[in-house]
Amino acid sequence: MPPAVLARRLSKRYGDVLAVNELDLEIQPGECFGFLGPNGAGKSTTMKMMYGRTPITAGELYVLGLDVHRQMRAIKARIGVVPQEDNLDPDFSVLQNLLVYARYFGLAPAVARQRATELLDFVGLSEKAGANVEQLSGGMKRRLVIARSLINQPELLILDEPSTGLDPQARHLVWSRLRELKARGVTQVLTTHYMDEAAQLCDRLVIVDRGAVLALGTPRELIQQHAGPWALELRLEPAHHAGVLGLAAVAAHEAVGDLLVCFLPGQAEAEALTDAVRRAGIPLHGYLARPTTLEDVFLRLAGRTLQED
């Protein structure tokens, strides 16, 4: 089988701004692949090129083995898209939003109604079928957008920040539904600002900034390569950061305002450094020793760029 998405030297330019810079990427069928990066990093632009919202400037891009230059109509018939914005039709009911959307794919009315009914049950909105869209909560609208993206039974689902603005309960429901879809073999490509979402859902992910790839791998691989096993967060005046780093052999560190994050081999080393800071009389406003996460990787790879901006 061809890759679900194949990009070679893919670029997108808006005037003088290079939003995507010669991106090389392969996304395999059946995997959940994530894009992480700060605002303006090129994540959403890359996804928009995948589903034909914006044309590519240079390079090659194939989706489900089809060339986006020549076969975008065929691509759109086989993918589902969950955009950042909830662009539901406020003049229609919940069920009507799905039925009207089904017409774009030429589904027979009976087939469309059956699928719409099943999808509303899948996302937990069966009881809201007759309600107006404006009566739904933000979380319900997001789930309806996901249901709408599945009406054509897509092979590839593109999700641009699928759980933004959702409360924790709604986010976990969305995650559960996405895991079910993956178990059915639906390939997923998503962007997110939630590091825990990426860790929960993604088989592999890429961290991008300024249109270029900073790192690519599984969540575990990225954490091991760029953060190590343990982190110690210290809240103290920036003037004391150098003094703390002189107390122990810290493999790597990141500083953001009054937060100093030291990356260490294990919990014992984190506790030893905390004790050393106290003995040295350096005033601490707070501290936390914990296992490292994707957020640490993001901070190390893209956080410095944000500070420089």
Side-chain angles (χ1 to χ4, degrees), residues 50-66:
M50 291 179 191
Y51 62 84
R53 178 72 179 271
T54 186
I56 72 177
T57 301
E60 299 175 285
L61 179 59
Y62 297 87
V63 177
L64 300 174
L66 303 175

PDB file of all heavy atoms in Angstrom, residues 50-66:
ATOM      1  N   MET A  50      -3.129  19.292   2.309  1.00  0.00           N
ATOM      2  CA  MET A  50      -3.547  17.902   2.163  1.00  0.00           C
ATOM      3  C   MET A  50      -4.978  17.792   1.663  1.00  0.00           C
ATOM      4  O   MET A  50      -5.299  16.892   0.876  1.00  0.00           O
ATOM      5  CB  MET A  50      -3.410  17.163   3.502  1.00  0.00           C
ATOM      6  CG  MET A  50      -2.006  16.923   3.975  1.00  0.00           C
ATOM      7  SD  MET A  50      -2.015  16.070   5.575  1.00  0.00           S
ATOM      8  CE  MET A  50      -0.296  16.227   6.049  1.00  0.00           C
ATOM      9  N   TYR A  51      -5.854  18.671   2.145  1.00  0.00           N
ATOM     10  CA  TYR A  51      -7.257  18.538   1.735  1.00  0.00           C
ATOM     11  C   TYR A  51      -7.706  19.614   0.750  1.00  0.00           C
ATOM     12  O   TYR A  51      -8.900  19.814   0.512  1.00  0.00           O
ATOM     13  CB  TYR A  51      -8.199  18.459   2.941  1.00  0.00           C
ATOM     14  CG  TYR A  51      -8.246  19.637   3.876  1.00  0.00           C
ATOM     15  CD1 TYR A  51      -9.053  20.739   3.612  1.00  0.00           C
ATOM     16  CD2 TYR A  51      -7.552  19.626   5.080  1.00  0.00           C
ATOM     17  CE1 TYR A  51      -9.134  21.804   4.496  1.00  0.00           C
ATOM     18  CE2 TYR A  51      -7.628  20.675   5.974  1.00  0.00           C
ATOM     19  CZ  TYR A  51      -8.428  21.757   5.675  1.00  0.00           C
ATOM     20  OH  TYR A  51      -8.513  22.813   6.572  1.00  0.00           O
ATOM     21  N   GLY A  52      -6.753  20.305   0.145  1.00  0.00           N
ATOM     22  CA  GLY A  52      -7.072  21.179  -0.971  1.00  0.00           C
ATOM     23  C   GLY A  52      -7.601  22.541  -0.618  1.00  0.00           C
ATOM     24  O   GLY A  52      -8.095  23.262  -1.497  1.00  0.00           O
ATOM     25  N   ARG A  53      -7.461  22.949   0.631  1.00  0.00           N
ATOM     26  CA  ARG A  53      -7.926  24.276   1.030  1.00  0.00           C
ATOM     27  C   ARG A  53      -7.006  25.367   0.480  1.00  0.00           C
ATOM     28  O   ARG A  53      -7.422  26.478   0.176  1.00  0.00           O
ATOM     29  CB  ARG A  53      -7.997  24.364   2.564  1.00  0.00           C
ATOM     30  CG  ARG A  53      -8.413  25.709   3.134  1.00  0.00           C
ATOM     31  CD  ARG A  53      -9.870  25.986   2.919  1.00  0.00           C
ATOM     32  NE  ARG A  53     -10.232  27.279   3.496  1.00  0.00           N
ATOM     33  CZ  ARG A  53     -10.634  27.447   4.755  1.00  0.00           C
ATOM     34  NH1 ARG A  53     -10.716  26.404   5.586  1.00  0.00           N
ATOM     35  NH2 ARG A  53     -10.957  28.641   5.199  1.00  0.00           N
ATOM     36  N   THR A  54      -5.712  25.024   0.362  1.00  0.00           N
ATOM     37  CA  THR A  54      -4.744  25.971  -0.189  1.00  0.00           C
ATOM     38  C   THR A  54      -3.790  25.216  -1.103  1.00  0.00           C
ATOM     39  O   THR A  54      -3.407  24.070  -0.797  1.00  0.00           O
ATOM     40  CB  THR A  54      -3.961  26.692   0.931  1.00  0.00           C
ATOM     41  OG1 THR A  54      -3.133  27.714   0.367  1.00  0.00           O
ATOM     42  CG2 THR A  54      -3.091  25.744   1.725  1.00  0.00           C
ATOM     43  N   PRO A  55      -3.406  25.782  -2.252  1.00  0.00           N
ATOM     44  CA  PRO A  55      -2.516  25.070  -3.173  1.00  0.00           C
ATOM     45  C   PRO A  55      -1.083  25.060  -2.663  1.00  0.00           C
ATOM     46  O   PRO A  55      -0.670  25.957  -1.918  1.00  0.00           O
ATOM     47  CB  PRO A  55      -2.634  25.880  -4.466  1.00  0.00           C
ATOM     48  CG  PRO A  55      -2.998  27.263  -4.015  1.00  0.00           C
ATOM     49  CD  PRO A  55      -3.856  27.081  -2.797  1.00  0.00           C
ATOM     50  N   ILE A  56      -0.318  24.063  -3.082  1.00  0.00           N
ATOM     51  CA  ILE A  56       1.087  24.008  -2.693  1.00  0.00           C
ATOM     52  C   ILE A  56       1.877  24.957  -3.593  1.00  0.00           C
ATOM     53  O   ILE A  56       1.508  25.218  -4.730  1.00  0.00           O
ATOM     54  CB  ILE A  56       1.635  22.572  -2.754  1.00  0.00           C
ATOM     55  CG1 ILE A  56       1.810  22.105  -4.201  1.00  0.00           C
ATOM     56  CG2 ILE A  56       0.728  21.617  -2.006  1.00  0.00           C
ATOM     57  CD1 ILE A  56       2.425  20.729  -4.312  1.00  0.00           C
ATOM     58  N   THR A  57       2.966  25.481  -3.040  1.00  0.00           N
ATOM     59  CA  THR A  57       3.835  26.380  -3.813  1.00  0.00           C
ATOM     60  C   THR A  57       4.896  25.605  -4.577  1.00  0.00           C
ATOM     61  O   THR A  57       5.198  25.901  -5.733  1.00  0.00           O
ATOM     62  CB  THR A  57       4.507  27.397  -2.881  1.00  0.00           C
ATOM     63  OG1 THR A  57       3.497  28.162  -2.209  1.00  0.00           O
ATOM     64  CG2 THR A  57       5.408  28.353  -3.663  1.00  0.00           C
ATOM     65  N   ALA A  58       5.470  24.599  -3.933  1.00  0.00           N
ATOM     66  CA  ALA A  58       6.518  23.803  -4.568  1.00  0.00           C
ATOM     67  C   ALA A  58       6.579  22.439  -3.903  1.00  0.00           C
ATOM     68  O   ALA A  58       6.080  22.246  -2.792  1.00  0.00           O
ATOM     69  CB  ALA A  58       7.873  24.513  -4.461  1.00  0.00           C
ATOM     70  N   GLY A  59       7.209  21.498  -4.592  1.00  0.00           N
ATOM     71  CA  GLY A  59       7.357  20.159  -4.050  1.00  0.00           C
ATOM     72  C   GLY A  59       6.258  19.225  -4.508  1.00  0.00           C
ATOM     73  O   GLY A  59       5.471  19.537  -5.418  1.00  0.00           O
ATOM     74  N   GLU A  60       6.206  18.064  -3.859  1.00  0.00           N
ATOM     75  CA  GLU A  60       5.224  17.035  -4.203  1.00  0.00           C
ATOM     76  C   GLU A  60       4.411  16.670  -2.968  1.00  0.00           C
ATOM     77  O   GLU A  60       4.943  16.647  -1.849  1.00  0.00           O
ATOM     78  CB  GLU A  60       5.924  15.787  -4.726  1.00  0.00           C
ATOM     79  CG  GLU A  60       6.738  15.987  -5.984  1.00  0.00           C
ATOM     80  CD  GLU A  60       7.478  14.721  -6.356  1.00  0.00           C
ATOM     81  OE1 GLU A  60       8.487  14.423  -5.664  1.00  0.00           O
ATOM     82  OE2 GLU A  60       7.054  14.029  -7.305  1.00  0.00           O
ATOM     83  N   LEU A  61       3.136  16.342  -3.199  1.00  0.00           N
ATOM     84  CA  LEU A  61       2.274  15.912  -2.109  1.00  0.00           C
ATOM     85  C   LEU A  61       1.270  14.905  -2.655  1.00  0.00           C
ATOM     86  O   LEU A  61       0.515  15.208  -3.593  1.00  0.00           O
ATOM     87  CB  LEU A  61       1.536  17.108  -1.486  1.00  0.00           C
ATOM     88  CG  LEU A  61       0.568  16.788  -0.342  1.00  0.00           C
ATOM     89  CD1 LEU A  61       1.309  16.104   0.819  1.00  0.00           C
ATOM     90  CD2 LEU A  61      -0.127  18.054   0.150  1.00  0.00           C
ATOM     91  N   TYR A  62       1.292  13.714  -2.060  1.00  0.00           N
ATOM     92  CA  TYR A  62       0.368  12.656  -2.434  1.00  0.00           C
ATOM     93  C   TYR A  62      -0.454  12.260  -1.217  1.00  0.00           C
ATOM     94  O   TYR A  62       0.094  12.068  -0.122  1.00  0.00           O
ATOM     95  CB  TYR A  62       1.117  11.429  -2.960  1.00  0.00           C
ATOM     96  CG  TYR A  62       1.894  11.703  -4.230  1.00  0.00           C
ATOM     97  CD1 TYR A  62       3.200  12.196  -4.177  1.00  0.00           C
ATOM     98  CD2 TYR A  62       1.318  11.485  -5.480  1.00  0.00           C
ATOM     99  CE1 TYR A  62       3.919  12.461  -5.334  1.00  0.00           C
ATOM    100  CE2 TYR A  62       2.030  11.751  -6.656  1.00  0.00           C
ATOM    101  CZ  TYR A  62       3.318  12.241  -6.568  1.00  0.00           C
ATOM    102  OH  TYR A  62       4.027  12.518  -7.716  1.00  0.00           O
ATOM    103  N   VAL A  63      -1.751  12.143  -1.403  1.00  0.00           N
ATOM    104  CA  VAL A  63      -2.667  11.736  -0.339  1.00  0.00           C
ATOM    105  C   VAL A  63      -3.394  10.486  -0.806  1.00  0.00           C
ATOM    106  O   VAL A  63      -4.026  10.493  -1.881  1.00  0.00           O
ATOM    107  CB  VAL A  63      -3.667  12.851  -0.005  1.00  0.00           C
ATOM    108  CG1 VAL A  63      -4.666  12.378   1.053  1.00  0.00           C
ATOM    109  CG2 VAL A  63      -2.934  14.102   0.481  1.00  0.00           C
ATOM    110  N   LEU A  64      -3.261   9.397  -0.049  1.00  0.00           N
ATOM    111  CA  LEU A  64      -3.828   8.100  -0.423  1.00  0.00           C
ATOM    112  C   LEU A  64      -3.353   7.679  -1.814  1.00  0.00           C
ATOM    113  O   LEU A  64      -4.096   7.100  -2.605  1.00  0.00           O
ATOM    114  CB  LEU A  64      -5.359   8.149  -0.367  1.00  0.00           C
ATOM    115  CG  LEU A  64      -5.949   8.488   1.018  1.00  0.00           C
ATOM    116  CD1 LEU A  64      -7.459   8.643   0.927  1.00  0.00           C
ATOM    117  CD2 LEU A  64      -5.575   7.428   2.040  1.00  0.00           C
ATOM    118  N   GLY A  65      -2.101   8.008  -2.112  1.00  0.00           N
ATOM    119  CA  GLY A  65      -1.501   7.645  -3.385  1.00  0.00           C
ATOM    120  C   GLY A  65      -1.887   8.530  -4.549  1.00  0.00           C
ATOM    121  O   GLY A  65      -1.456   8.282  -5.688  1.00  0.00           O
ATOM    122  N   LEU A  66      -2.653   9.593  -4.296  1.00  0.00           N
ATOM    123  CA  LEU A  66      -3.141  10.474  -5.354  1.00  0.00           C
ATOM    124  C   LEU A  66      -2.435  11.823  -5.287  1.00  0.00           C
ATOM    125  O   LEU A  66      -2.159  12.346  -4.202  1.00  0.00           O
ATOM    126  CB  LEU A  66      -4.652  10.672  -5.225  1.00  0.00           C
ATOM    127  CG  LEU A  66      -5.502   9.393  -5.240  1.00  0.00           C
ATOM    128  CD1 LEU A  66      -6.964   9.721  -4.978  1.00  0.00           C
ATOM    129  CD2 LEU A  66      -5.339   8.659  -6.564  1.00  0.00           C
TER     130      LEU A  66
END
